């Protein structure tokens, strides 16, 4: 079928038809983690969001190069040009080499992404592996007159840039006001204006992470890595740059300025930003100390959690909201997601037990409408909650078929399976293994089936007391037992 994909572009503040720079190919760059601590729920949201984007673009037939960076140097405290490098600070606290810290938390990040069923990116470059490219970027900006040296450091000259271009084009900020306000701090530190940002920082004597450069030993500014690595792997012009909304300013604003200052025009066509996950209305983040790591969600070991939540529950929780809307964490919301996911997975399991009929009350047009509605939702800026709503509608049809309240031909049943599983598993990226332990789930199901078989034999022997006891005790544990002419079936309501 013909698709008309539209993406909300933060740069234009409207939905735009998606037309890649190079037909048939998509270049997508997404800001990855700064690896100095375990990934938390706030990291999961962009990972799941852009995993959906990646999956859908590939499904539409595009050849996608998905680049997601690892920040292992240059990200100073307070996201500014002051304080210690976040990774170096962690290394001192733990008495480790900075690269040990970076590698450890990179491994932990990958483990969490695997459990969330996020596909690996095409390329995952590290900032420390691209110092040469970042130095080249700094030299280009200096040569073009949009940067200056100051005591071994190099700063981007925002005022000089703003005279010829527009610094604030992405965030909508009026930088004239910011620049004028910063003049009150003139003469303090190395910058001409406090709004200027570091392209290269001189390393203090105690700074471990340092590299030689034309300006002396130091390290690149945080904003440089994405511009340099995006250009290296996706070219001077590419399609999508993604990340959290908190990166719009200053990080992505600075990236745009660096690109224009170095090559004369913008690199990125569509800027995509997911909104935040909040706790009690406040952004979840390491700097605020209000975060819950993904490992803690999976184990339930955190004072704010009333139980453990499976990786698929977390993924489903994120996908139940549109990526541009705010999501507030609560145990109640996650428990609702857990039940919603169980409903989808149960319907999927029941699909395999449906016996086709010669004629069907569920026809091919209903399955076609389901598919068209789901595609229309994804074409409308990847609207995953609408897709989930349509899949819930399909669950009702599946349950009617499984309960023999409706009929379907073999051909239409196979098409229903294909459509349901394409959107639930291939595109939304859900997995039928909610606990991440297939063997345990299979054993659990077999144990219940064994009890039902014992109950069947008790009924055949007219041992009603044993039959009723098995039924009642299973009901007390949350199992709903259905008796039909074909036998008994069960579902877990908890």
């Amino acid at each position: 079928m013909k698709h008309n994909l539209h993406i909300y572009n933060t740069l234009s503040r409207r939905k735009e038809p998606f037309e890649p720079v190079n037909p048939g190919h998509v270049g997508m760059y997404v800001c990855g983690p700064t690896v100095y601590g375990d990934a938390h729920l706030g990291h999961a949201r962009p990972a799941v969001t852009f995993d959906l984007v990646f999956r859908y673009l590939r499904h539409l037939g595009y050849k996608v190069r998905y680049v997601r960076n690892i920040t292992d140097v240059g990200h100073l405290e307070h996201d500014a040009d002051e304080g210690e490098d976040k990774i170096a600070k962690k290394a001192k606290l733990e008495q480790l080499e900075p690269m040990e810290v970076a590698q450890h938390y990179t491994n932990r990040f990958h483990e969490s992404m695997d459990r969330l069923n996020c596909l690996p990116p095409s390329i995952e470059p590290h900032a420390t592996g691209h110092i040469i490219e970042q130095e080249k970027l700094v030299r280009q900006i200096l040569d073009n007159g949009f940067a200056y040296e100051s005591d071994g450091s190099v700063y981007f000259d925002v005022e000089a840039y703003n005279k010829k271009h527009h610094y604030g084009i992405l965030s909508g900020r009026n930088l004239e006001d910011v620049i004028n306000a910063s003049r009150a701090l003139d003469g303090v530190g190395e910058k001409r204006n406090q709004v200027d940002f570091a392209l290269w920082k001189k390393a203090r004597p105690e700074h471990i992470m340092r590299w030689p450069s034309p300006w002396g030993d130091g390290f690149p500014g945080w904003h440089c890595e994405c511009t340099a690595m995006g250009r290296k792997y996706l070219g001077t012009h590419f399609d999508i740059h993604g990340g959290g909304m908190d990166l719009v300013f200053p990080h992505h604003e600075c990236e745009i300025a660096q690109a224009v200052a170095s090559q004369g025009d913008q690199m990125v066509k569509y800027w995509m930003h997911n909104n935040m996950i909040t706790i009690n209305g406040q952004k979840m983040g390491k700097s605020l100390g209000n975060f819950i790591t993904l490992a803690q969600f999976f184990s339930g070991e955190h004072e704010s959690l009333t139980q453990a939540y499976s990786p698929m529950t977390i993924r489903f929780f994120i996908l139940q909201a549109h990526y541009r809307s705010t999501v507030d964490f609560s145990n109640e919301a996650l428990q609702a997601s857990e039940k919603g996911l169980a409903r989808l997975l149960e319907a999927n399991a029941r699909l395999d037990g449906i016996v086709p009929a010669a004629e069907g009350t569920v026809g091919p047009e209903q399955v076609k409408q389901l598919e068209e509605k789901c595609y229309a939702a994804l074409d409308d800026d990847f609207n995953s909650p609408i897709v989930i709503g349509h899949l819930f509608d399909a669950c009702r049809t599946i349950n009617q078929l499984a309960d023999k309240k409706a009929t379907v031909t073999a051909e239409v049943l196979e098409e229903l399976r294909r459509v349901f599983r394409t959107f639930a598993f291939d595109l939304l990226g859900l997995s039928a293994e909610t606990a991440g332990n297939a063997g345990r789930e299979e054993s659990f199901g077999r144990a219940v089936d064994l009890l039902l078989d014992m109950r069947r034999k008790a009924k055949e022997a007219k041992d009603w007391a044993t039959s009723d006891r098995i039924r009642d005790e299973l009901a007390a544990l949350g199992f709903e037992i259905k008796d039909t002419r074909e036998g008994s079936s069960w579902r877990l309501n908890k």
Side-chain angles (χ1 to χ4, degrees):
M1 61 178 291
K2 190 178 186 301
H3 291 274
N4 189 23
L5 175 60
H6 280 66
I7 295 177
Y8 183 86
N9 191 347
T10 308
L11 188 64
S12 65
R13 293 165 182 77
R14 61 183 177 85
K15 291 179 187 177
E16 299 178 2
F18 181 67
E19 298 173 355
V21 174
N22 299 303
H25 296 259
V26 176
M28 180 170 75
Y29 189 102
V30 176
C31 287
T34 301
V35 283
Y36 70 103
D38 278 336
H40 56 69
L41 192 60
H43 294 117
R45 192 165 198 198
V48 171
T49 294
F50 291 100
D51 184 62
L52 171 63
V53 174
F54 185 35
R55 287 170 180 269
Y56 191 54
L57 289 171
R58 294 203 314 180
H59 179 77
L60 294 183
Y62 291 109
K63 183 176 176 58
V64 184
R65 178 176 287 179
Y66 172 20
V67 181
R68 184 182 66 206
N69 66 296
I70 295 290
T71 297
D72 54 3
V73 69
H75 196 167
L76 303 185
E77 296 176 284
H78 319 303
D79 297 348
D81 298 323
E82 302 171 357
E84 291 186 84
D85 183 289
K86 292 183 176 183
I87 293 167
K89 181 179 180 180
K90 185 78 169 183
K92 288 179 183 177
L93 290 172
E94 299 188 5
Q95 296 185 321
L96 297 170
E97 283 288 334
M99 285 298 100
E100 283 185 274
V101 172
Q103 188 63 57
H104 173 74
Y105 288 113
T106 299
N107 294 343
R108 297 273 290 176
F109 175 75
H110 288 155
E111 289 169 6
S112 293
M113 295 305 103
D114 288 344
R115 296 192 69 183
L116 289 172
N117 202 28
C118 290
L119 300 173
S122 313
I123 303 173
E124 192 172 57
H126 291 230
T128 53
H130 297 78
I131 301 298
I132 292 172
E133 289 84 356
Q134 293 177 77
E135 287 186 14
K136 180 180 177 181
L137 173 69
V138 175
R139 285 196 299 270
Q140 289 173 331
I141 296 172
L142 272 168
D143 291 344
N144 291 339
F146 295 112
Y148 57 91
E149 295 181 55
S150 180
D151 191 27
S153 294
V154 180
Y155 291 96
F156 191 96
D157 191 334
V158 171
E159 189 169 24
Y161 176 85
N162 208 47
K163 288 177 180 177
K164 294 185 178 181
H165 305 286
H166 179 194
Y167 185 79
I169 191 172
L170 184 67
S171 61
R173 299 193 180 204
N174 183 348
L175 264 294
E176 286 295 335
D177 295 339
V178 178
I179 291 170
N180 290 336
S182 74
R183 287 198 174 98
L185 298 173
D186 278 358
V188 179
E190 304 169 341
K191 301 179 183 181
R192 294 176 184 171
N193 289 297
Q194 290 303 307
V195 72
D196 295 347
F197 58 90
L199 299 173
W200 185 265
K201 283 287 286 183
K202 178 182 178 181
R204 298 171 183 171
E206 69 276 11
H207 201 97
I208 303 171
M209 304 177 78
R210 57 202 299 146
W211 290 264
S213 80
W215 317 286
D217 282 5
F219 54 93
W222 172 39
H223 310 303
C224 286
E225 63 178 281
C226 293
T227 305
M229 295 191 297
R231 179 182 294 164
K232 175 167 183 172
Y233 295 110
L234 298 174
T236 56
H237 301 92
F238 60 88
D239 302 293
I240 297 171
H241 195 318
M245 187 174 287
D246 56 326
L247 297 179
V248 171
F249 189 89
H251 188 48
H252 290 165
E253 195 75 74
C254 293
E255 281 193 56
I256 289 177
Q258 288 170 161
V260 175
S262 61
Q263 69 181 38
D265 60 356
Q266 294 194 42
M267 293 170 59
V268 180
K269 188 171 183 181
Y270 303 92
W271 287 89
M272 293 181 65
H273 294 93
N274 63 272
N275 214 320
M276 298 179 291
I277 290 182
T278 58
I279 295 182
N280 298 321
Q282 188 179 39
K283 173 197 167 187
M284 178 182 287
K286 291 176 185 173
S287 60
L288 297 172
N290 65 348
F291 65 93
I292 304 173
T293 69
L294 292 173
Q296 288 170 327
F297 274 105
F298 301 157
S299 69
E301 296 174 357
H302 189 279
E303 60 184 11
S304 298
L305 299 175
T306 58
Q307 65 177 81
Y309 297 98
S310 74
M312 284 304 100
T313 297
I314 299 298
R315 186 177 180 105
F316 191 74
F317 170 70
I318 291 169
L319 290 170
Q320 274 190 298
H322 189 267
Y323 76 88
R324 288 192 287 113
S325 65
T326 304
V327 177
D328 196 53
F329 156 80
S330 70
N331 281 284
E332 293 76 15
L334 280 169
Q335 287 160 7
S337 294
E338 188 174 56
K339 291 178 181 177
L341 174 63
R343 182 182 168 194
L344 280 182
L345 296 182
E346 182 189 355
N348 173 67
R350 299 192 86 187
L351 271 170
D352 290 327
I354 296 171
V355 179
E359 296 182 359
T361 57
V362 176
E365 66 282 351
Q366 290 169 261
V367 179
K368 184 179 180 182
Q369 286 176 5
L370 170 66
E371 183 174 36
E372 289 176 346
K373 288 177 180 178
C374 288
Y375 274 129
L378 290 179
D379 283 340
D380 184 17
D381 196 29
F382 309 98
N383 202 325
S384 58
I386 299 298
V387 175
I388 290 171
H390 293 319
L391 291 177
F392 279 149
D393 290 339
C395 288
R396 284 193 285 272
T397 301
I398 292 168
N399 289 331
Q400 287 175 345
L401 292 169
D403 294 337
K404 303 190 183 305
K405 295 177 181 177
T407 57
V408 65
T409 64
E411 184 179 3
V412 174
L413 176 60
E414 188 56 37
E415 187 68 0
L416 177 60
R417 287 179 182 139
R418 181 192 66 79
V419 172
F420 190 88
R421 290 168 178 170
T422 293
F423 287 97
F425 302 136
D426 297 346
L427 297 178
L428 294 184
L430 300 172
S431 166
E433 297 169 10
T434 59
N437 188 329
R440 181 180 175 186
E441 294 297 308
E442 184 178 356
S443 298
F444 173 79
R446 286 181 177 178
V448 178
D449 290 339
L450 178 62
L451 285 170
L452 289 182
D453 188 54
M454 292 170 62
R455 179 171 175 263
R456 178 186 60 78
K457 290 178 180 177
K459 289 173 71 176
E460 289 175 352
K462 302 190 185 308
D463 183 357
W464 309 118
T466 300
S467 170
D468 291 346
R469 182 184 172 194
I470 293 173
R471 180 199 62 204
D472 294 343
E473 292 197 10
L474 284 173
L477 292 170
F479 292 94
E480 179 185 335
I481 309 301
K482 284 188 177 181
D483 293 320
T484 66
R485 283 179 294 180
E486 288 75 25
S488 298
S489 63
W490 61 271
R491 61 186 289 178
L492 182 61
N493 287 331
K494 286 188 177 180

